[in-house]
């Protein structure tokens, strides 16, 4: 079972995003472990999972698990455009020893409740008895997963244990604080409120580049801490997110290239300079307060 602070990790790529950068997975995982994170979510939104080929996604899961060496939990996001591919990816994650499978609803087609239930149930069955989490993110999938679907899903599959919820504002998030489900907070701004209401932890894209800062707020949640993370996330979101997170990792000595999979784009020179100035100011502020 997942708990605590998890990074919604980027995926190291090279060759302008055309290939996996296999040598970078080890140092990236070491960075997360050293920062005190409890786990990693591979191949989510920050990890460009939906843009990678099925064979690449299997390899990414393998690489993260090999690098983790059980020092840190690894959950694999297996949601794909079709149910068949989602099922194959979920079964692979279970076979190679992932700690959990996470699945977002397939984008483009707006699934009704019957279709949602059939899709998630097929994925959960494929990886049973591995813990299974639904990834609720209406603005990305294009529709919300109905709470009634979640309740039916849990009744039908005993390995369905929780959700990662990335919806905002609080009113949208709060509707998924369902009894008996382990909830992980996606939006950094809601970490303190979510944990106060019983969430099991947070799965944060910002933690890809700032794992220590996110882990600190998850372990000692305060209004001020969540607000600080929200400010940082808001700044990062001014840029192409995946490239910005990778650039910030590189600034901290982690050998991750900025390369992203098209149609995502790299940063411009001006964007890099703006990010560098901001990151330098964060570092200076940290030294000044220490």
């Amino acid at each position: 079972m997942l708990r605590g602070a998890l990074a919604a990790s980027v995926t190291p790529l090279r060759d302008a995003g055309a290939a996996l950068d296999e040598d970078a997975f080890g140092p990236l995982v070491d960075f997360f472990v050293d920062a005190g994170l409890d786990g990693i979510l591979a191949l989510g939104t920050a990890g460009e999972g939906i843009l990678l080929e099925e064979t690449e996604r299997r390899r990414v899961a393998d690489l993260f698990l090999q690098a983790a060496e059980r020092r840190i939990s690894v959950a694999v996001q297996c949601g794909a455009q079709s149910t068949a591919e989602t099922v194959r990816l979920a079964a692979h994650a279970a076979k190679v020893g992932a700690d959990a499978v996470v699945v977002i609803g397939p984008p483009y087609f707006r699934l009704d409740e019957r279709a949602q239930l059939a899709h998630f149930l097929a994925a959960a069955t494929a990886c049973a008895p591995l813990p299974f989490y639904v990834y609720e993110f209406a603005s990305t999938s294009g529709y919300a997963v109905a709470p009634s679907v979640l309740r039916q899903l849990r009744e039908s599959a005993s390995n369905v244990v929780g959700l990662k919820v990335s919806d905002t504002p609080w009113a949208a998030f709060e509707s998924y604080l369902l009894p008996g489900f382990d909830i992980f907070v996606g939006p950094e701004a809601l970490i303190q409120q979510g944990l106060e209401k019983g969430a099991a932890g947070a799965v944060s894209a910002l933690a890809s580049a700032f794992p220590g800062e996110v882990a600190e707020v998850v372990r000692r949640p305060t209004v001020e801490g969540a607000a600080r993370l929200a400010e940082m996330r808001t700044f990062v979101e001014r840029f192409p997110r995946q490239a910005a997170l990778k650039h910030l990792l590189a600034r901290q000595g982690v050998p991750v290239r900025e390369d992203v999979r098209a149609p995502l784009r790299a940063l411009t020179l001006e964007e890099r300079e703006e990010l560098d100035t901001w990151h330098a100011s964060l570092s200076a502020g940290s030294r000044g307060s220490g």
Side-chain angles (χ1 to χ4, degrees), residues 31 41 63 69 105 171 182 212:
F31 178 66
L41 172 64
L63 289 165
E69 296 181 316
D182 286 344

Side-chain angles (χ1 to χ4, degrees), residues 195-225:
L195 293 174
E196 185 180 67
K197 296 294 185 179
V203 179
S204 160
L206 189 68
S208 269
F210 300 101
E213 289 83 346
V214 173
E216 173 69 20
V217 175
V218 171
R219 292 195 171 90
R220 285 174 282 277
T222 64
V223 173
E224 296 77 14

Side-chain angles (χ1 to χ4, degrees), residues 3 19 23 30 36 58 60 84 91 96 115 145 158 165 184 191 195 198 207-209 256 271 279 288:
R3 285 291 184 275
D23 291 340
D30 290 343
R58 290 169 179 252
V60 168
V96 297
V145 179
S158 61
V165 181
F184 285 82
I191 287 176
L195 293 174
S208 269
V256 172
E271 287 170 335
H279 186 253

Side-chain angles (χ1 to χ4, degrees), residues 68-130:
E69 296 181 316
R70 296 297 173 189
R71 297 174 296 163
I72 190 171
S73 296
V74 178
V76 182
Q77 200 290 115
C78 297
Q81 190 67 64
S82 72
T83 299
E85 184 175 349
T86 303
V87 163
R88 291 193 298 268
L89 289 168
H92 173 264
K95 180 180 179 181
V96 297
D99 294 287
V101 161
V102 181
V103 169
I104 192 169
Y108 192 81
F109 296 105
R110 188 179 180 89
L111 302 186
D112 64 16
E113 293 187 14
R114 182 174 294 182
Q116 290 177 24
L117 179 60
H119 178 77
F120 288 119
L121 182 57
T125 301
C127 67
L130 197 68

